[in-house]
Amino acid sequence: MADQRFSDQDAVWMRRALEQAIRGQGRVEPNPMVGCVVIDDQGVVGQGYHAKFGGPHAEVDALDDARRSGRADRLPGATAYVTLEPCCHHGKTPPCTDALLDAGIRRVVVAMLDPFPEVSGRGVEHLKQAGVQVDVGLLEDQARRLNAPYLKRLQTGLPWVIAKWAMSLDGKIAARTGDSRWISGPASRERVHELRGRVDAIVVGSGTAAADDPMLTARLAHPPHRVARRVVVDSQCSLNLNSRLVQTARQVPTLVWTGTAVDDRTVEQLRSHGVEVQRSDATDRQQWIEHLLRYLVTAYTATNVLVEGGSGLFGALFDADLVDEIHAYIAPLVLGGGAQAPSPVGGKGVARVQEAARWQIETMHRIGEDCFIHALRLADPRSAPSPLSASG
């Protein structure tokens, strides 16, 4: 049954607010993406979004848009559509509830409540006590999908994990010799650089670091939205001091996640080059990886983490059910090589096909000569990111 509080036109405006919100992707984290549209009986009065961490929130941006456009006189009595509950506390910016009240907004339609402890229903209550009509729950599923990484971090203390790989038609990520340059084409690699430019960390295993000597940076024609921390999962702390990761560690943050058995001299050599080294005492590989993800959240408030291989690291992540999203690039190549040529995911795997986790394919399309597949974990459909964010 349709919710009688909301009209079809309400849904139209909230969809526009969601479209505004996605414009902040990669710029606002660890904050959530939020959009706002203010309307009256003549149409749009103002619209905006949270464009930058520490900058004005969506509600303030929308109100400012109305003032810049000469429509400030239409704000009193207007309705605001907001994709997330307005904040009511002083953080990096003043409370959005106060801005809405000062503007004379009489109705606020909210897609979902904000679980952040300092908000969590208080924003809605503040508006109601001031006499504003507040209706919550319009397109809530879409709003939850949009901010799935933010919600996961708040609820679990873990970041949103994106697994990315390029493979041949026969499912190989490298030839039997280990050579993997280049399986995917230029257009796919450009898309990956875009993805790198909006995540908080890029993680690889020690084997990938040794074989490819990668830079793990976003090399784009324009400045990336954010500079990701490069992370090497390396139980032996074996990263070559002459590698590009080490040689550029003072320019781009670089972390080696290692074990407690590594000698202090090896650790200090890396640290002397500007590499951060952290030890984990976990003995189980899956727990060891989970400790890393929690560390990235605790130390750096990481929201989105991109994992680029290799097979062993992916295996540990999938065995531990720690992956939320897959970006797979399939190239028109056949490499062969049997077991000597690795497939994307190693680890223990499942004993029977029926035990395998099911994934929802969100998009599948051509990129240059390659095929791109974007898939989401089906465990909790309400926590999956919006197709709007499937930028790969």
Side-chain angles (χ1 to χ4, degrees):
M1 181 181 295
D3 193 324
Q4 298 302 311
R5 295 173 300 164
F6 306 118
S7 67
D8 290 344
Q9 197 60 37
D10 284 333
V12 169
W13 296 125
M14 186 60 79
R15 288 191 186 95
R16 180 179 287 202
L18 288 165
E19 290 168 356
Q20 286 288 310
I22 194 67
R23 297 174 66 185
Q25 186 179 53
R27 298 177 173 91
V28 303
E29 293 85 355
N31 283 355
M33 292 176 279
V34 185
C36 177
V37 176
V38 180
I39 66 105
D40 65 3
D41 55 6
Q42 299 177 56
V44 175
V45 180
Q47 58 185 3
Y49 65 102
H50 185 26
K52 181 181 180 182
F53 178 71
H57 287 186
E59 299 90 329
V60 172
D61 191 39
L63 297 174
D64 286 346
D65 177 53
R67 297 178 182 116
R68 288 191 301 267
S69 304
R71 295 189 288 266
D73 60 319
R74 292 167 54 189
L75 287 172
T79 296
Y81 295 84
V82 190
T83 59
L84 188 69
E85 178 182 12
C87 67
C88 54
H89 65 289
H90 283 272
K92 291 185 177 295
T93 60
C96 291
T97 51
D98 288 354
L100 292 168
L101 293 173
D102 291 344
I105 300 299
R106 301 311 302 159
R107 182 189 181 211
V108 177
V109 182
V110 179
M112 63 171 289
L113 297 179
D114 187 348
F116 186 67
E118 292 188 59
V119 185
S120 194
R122 294 183 180 91
V124 165
E125 188 60 29
H126 184 199
L127 293 170
K128 286 183 176 179
Q129 288 180 358
V132 175
Q133 178 185 342
V134 183
D135 298 310
V136 181
L138 178 61
L139 302 186
E140 181 177 354
D141 284 352
Q142 289 91 323
R144 285 185 172 276
R145 290 182 178 188
L146 178 73
N147 277 311
Y150 167 76
L151 297 174
K152 181 187 178 186
R153 195 192 74 233
L154 285 185
Q155 294 164 359
T156 69
L158 291 167
W160 187 264
V161 177
I162 305 167
K164 187 282 299 180
W165 63 72
M167 66 182 183
S168 61
L169 286 171
D170 56 335
K172 305 296 184 180
I173 59 173
R176 59 180 173 79
T177 60
D179 177 58
S180 61
R181 291 193 176 182
W182 294 101
I183 289 179
S184 59
S188 295
R189 297 199 296 275
E190 183 178 349
R191 180 75 70 88
V192 171
H193 283 289
E194 293 283 350
L195 177 59
R196 287 177 176 178
R198 68 170 177 83
V199 299
D200 300 295
I202 302 168
V203 184
V204 297
S206 57
T208 298
D212 295 347
D213 191 23
M215 279 290 288
L216 302 181
T217 54
R219 297 184 287 284
L220 301 165
H222 54 82
H225 297 333
R226 61 208 307 114
V227 176
R229 187 169 303 274
R230 306 175 302 184
V231 182
V232 180
V233 178
D234 186 357
S235 61
Q236 302 302 313
C237 210
S238 59
L239 186 61
N240 193 314
L241 295 179
N242 293 317
S243 67
R244 295 198 294 175
L245 289 170
V246 173
Q247 292 299 309
T248 59
R250 297 195 187 280
Q251 290 75 50
V252 184
T254 305
L255 164 67
V256 170
W257 188 255
T258 192
T260 56
V262 176
D263 64 89
D264 292 341
R265 180 175 177 274
T266 301
V267 171
E268 290 307 317
Q269 282 183 323
L270 284 170
R271 288 175 174 166
S272 70
H273 285 76
V275 177
E276 178 189 0
V277 181
Q278 294 291 338
R279 292 180 166 115
S280 171
D281 59 3
T283 55
D284 177 82
R285 183 168 176 80
Q286 294 178 27
Q287 186 183 52
W288 192 56
I289 299 299
E290 183 176 335
H291 282 185
L292 165 62
L293 297 176
R294 292 192 182 279
Y295 174 77
L296 292 173
V297 170
T298 302
Y300 303 110
T301 327
T303 302
N304 294 283
V305 171
L306 173 63
V307 182
E308 296 201 22
S311 178
L313 177 58
F314 280 141
L317 285 163
F318 279 95
D319 285 345
D321 196 24
L322 291 172
V323 178
D324 301 289
E325 187 173 352
I326 295 172
H327 290 211
Y329 296 85
I330 304 174
L333 307 170
V334 175
L335 298 179
Q340 291 179 297
S343 61
V345 182
K348 296 177 182 177
V350 298
R352 302 174 67 242
V353 172
Q354 290 183 345
E355 298 171 5
R358 288 286 175 181
W359 291 73
Q360 175 177 309
I361 295 179
E362 286 288 293
T363 59
M364 182 168 57
H365 58 264
R366 289 277 296 271
I367 297 181
E369 293 185 345
D370 302 331
C371 176
F372 170 65
I373 297 178
H374 174 230
L376 304 173
R377 193 160 53 122
L378 274 177
D380 181 5
R382 288 169 59 87
S383 69
S386 165
L388 287 169
S389 68
S391 59

